[in-house]
Amino acid sequence: MAMVRCVVLATAGCGAASAQTAITMASTTSTEQSGLFGHLLPQFKRATGIDVKVVALGTGQAIDMARRGDADVLFVHDRAAEEKFVADGFAPRRHPVMYNDFVLLGPASDPVGARGSDIVEGLKKVAAANAPFISRGDKSGTHAAELRYWQQAGVPAAKGGGYRECGCGMGPALNIAASSGAYVLADRGTWLSFKNRQGLAVLVEGDKRLFNQYGVMVVSPQRFPHVKAAQAQQFVEWVTSPAGQQVIASYRINGEQLFFPNAGTAN
């Protein structure tokens, strides 16, 4: 079972915020492990006085948490699953908020020759060589994207003899890949904030299929009357406003922007 991380990014601890001024957000490990929320949420607290308790999970688990009514707001990156969440009546609306991209990482020496700008061709070479590949295997947005790319590559379910699922978040998956010289799909934000790179390098990037959109939703108070919908709506309105979008755009590591705001688009 994946570890659930509860992180209060605007207060001292998970029980510190008062019940009236704190909301619970189910979100992805990438938004936490990239450091974005550590940059974003204190500024939301200053603007509104509302604390945000983040439970960082894979997107699939975060959506399941929201489906149980255990979160007030959902911030994830699997558009198909998000749209189903809305269609099933668990949120009144999905709001695009920002994007970045996925990258295929692997040993800098790239023994299978995956390097390039075509994710499908890169994965075909990994599978054909039975090269080590670490999959998150956790129903996260990254895992869902990875499975789509394998399907597009026409690779059988086995995906090569080196394929391994860790059932873990992005950071641990990167650690395993770095220590074992394996290939791995990652979101660029977590990669840029990752310190234990060892011999890993970006091998495939720039493919339009690697586009990675994030959405944010208020969990339905009609479905769950206890949801703090008013405060959750304040978060959604702020993060999609010019002020919140500027805070997202201003988050950089070594001068490189990790996420690109695009609220108001159709993505």
Side-chain angles (χ1 to χ4, degrees), residues 56-98:
L57 301 158
T59 283
Q61 293 172 303
I63 290 174
D64 287 345
M65 178 180 169
R67 282 180 176 271
R68 296 191 300 270
D70 292 334
D72 303 301
V73 66
L74 182 64
F75 194 133
V76 289
H77 65 138
D78 183 347
R79 180 172 177 175
E82 294 164 37
E83 290 176 344
K84 188 175 190 309
F85 184 80
V86 173
D88 289 346
F90 288 96
R93 183 181 171 191
R94 170 190 175 273
H95 303 263
V97 61
M98 65 186 190

Side-chain angles (χ1 to χ4, degrees), residues 45-215:
K45 168 70 180 294
R46 284 194 288 272
T48 65
I50 298 171
D51 287 307
V52 180
K53 297 186 290 186
V54 177
V55 181
L57 301 158
T59 283
Q61 293 172 303
I63 290 174
D64 287 345
M65 178 180 169
R67 282 180 176 271
R68 296 191 300 270
D70 292 334
D72 303 301
V73 66
L74 182 64
F75 194 133
V76 289
H77 65 138
D78 183 347
R79 180 172 177 175
E82 294 164 37
E83 290 176 344
K84 188 175 190 309
F85 184 80
V86 173
D88 289 346
F90 288 96
R93 183 181 171 191
R94 170 190 175 273
H95 303 263
V97 61
M98 65 186 190
Y99 70 93
N100 64 2
D101 63 341
F102 295 113
V103 291
L104 182 66
L105 308 168
S109 60
D110 189 22
V112 307
R115 184 178 274 106
S117 59
D118 189 321
I119 184 61
V120 167
E121 290 303 314
L123 289 177
K124 284 180 179 178
K125 291 176 179 178
V126 170
N130 290 317
F133 183 97
I134 303 302
S135 170
R136 285 181 56 175
D138 64 348
K139 298 183 180 179
S140 62
T142 303
H143 183 217
E146 176 217 315
L147 294 179
R148 287 197 303 273
Y149 303 146
W150 285 117
Q151 184 177 35
Q152 291 164 8
V155 174
K159 303 179 185 65
Y163 186 86
R164 298 289 183 274
E165 292 186 343
C166 68
C168 61
M170 195 71 259
L174 287 171
N175 279 322
I176 295 168
S179 65
S180 60
Y183 292 81
V184 62
L185 185 78
D187 70 281
R188 191 183 294 270
T190 307
W191 167 246
L192 289 173
S193 64
F194 183 61
K195 307 301 183 186
N196 181 33
R197 295 187 176 187
Q198 299 188 37
L200 287 183
V202 175
L203 300 178
V204 179
E205 60 183 332
D207 189 327
K208 65 182 181 181
R209 290 170 291 199
L210 293 170
F211 179 80
N212 180 29
Q213 177 70 45
Y214 288 78

